[in-house]
Amino acid sequence: MKTILALSSWPLVFFSGLLLTHLAFSSERPMLAFVLVYAGEVLLLFLLERYIPYERRWLLSDGETANDIAHTLLTKGLVQVVALLGAVFPMLAAMILQPLANARFDLWPTALPLLLQVAIAVVIAEFGLYWSHRIAHEKLFFWRFHALHHSVVRLWVVNTGRFHIADSLFKVALSQLPLYLMGAPLQVFWWLGAVTAFMGILTHCNVDMRTGFFDYVFSTPRLHRWHHSKDMREGNTNYGENVVFFDLLFGTYFNPDRPSSTDIGIRGQIAKSFMGQLAQPFRKEGVRQILGRPTKSA
């Protein structure tokens, strides 16, 4: 039974999530229905983590669960809501991005089937997601914010959304703004959000999934564990959030023939409290702590 689940759990969660999302978006209350679908998929992964965990040590508490939930709901979640509002209410976006709002073009291929429109949106958004992610690793100014996500010492479904708000804003700007300027319709934004949401909980889940050929198309748990490795030769790879096309194109794809890393985290230190974690990248001493450099109090 465990072997069958290991082979089937990734496509089961991902494609069932998309099917149920189709039903949710067709309902009278699409957003509420989608939240329920998403919660159900999170619960399913939570149960799978306990039945077929990839790393048993990651089932133990790291003391960060409350912070992980807070970041998911109050930082990453809030940024996604604001981004969605920008798509739903162009006038609101115009107030915030007046010069860009006037430059919005009618370039979106609305005549294509919705499935193809969503596939195009995923690829276009992925270009921005890839480069915002890669820049966050290669430039210290951006790493100070992104390090919060990499500070986890275990991967599990709950710390999927552990991002600093500045990090999330940077990713949204590079990935969703091009779609807005091209005139992508609201439903495309909904579906892009759904794909990214399901991919996010899957990449972080502590489930022993055998993803096989999916590793060459999508960002899978196996690939993302390498990305979280403390060894920078392994960690500065696999930047794709949804698909790995740009990792393959730009030479950052990493998938050696051995079990992916469980030695994850950063060399520096992250503040203990939620508010402290938000403020830390803006303080000189805080940045030194993040980078693992000596501080005055050391």
Side-chain angles (χ1 to χ4, degrees), residues 102-114:
N102 290 333
R104 184 169 177 168
F105 304 103
D106 249 343
L107 298 175
W108 194 257
T110 52
L112 291 177
L114 181 59

Side-chain angles (χ1 to χ4, degrees), residues 121 124-129 132 170-180 189 192:
I124 292 173
E126 191 64 42
F127 184 77
L129 290 169
S132 61
F170 183 48
K171 291 170 68 176
V172 165
L174 265 65
S175 63
Q176 295 198 19
L177 194 56
L179 300 177
Y180 172 76
F189 281 94
L192 174 63

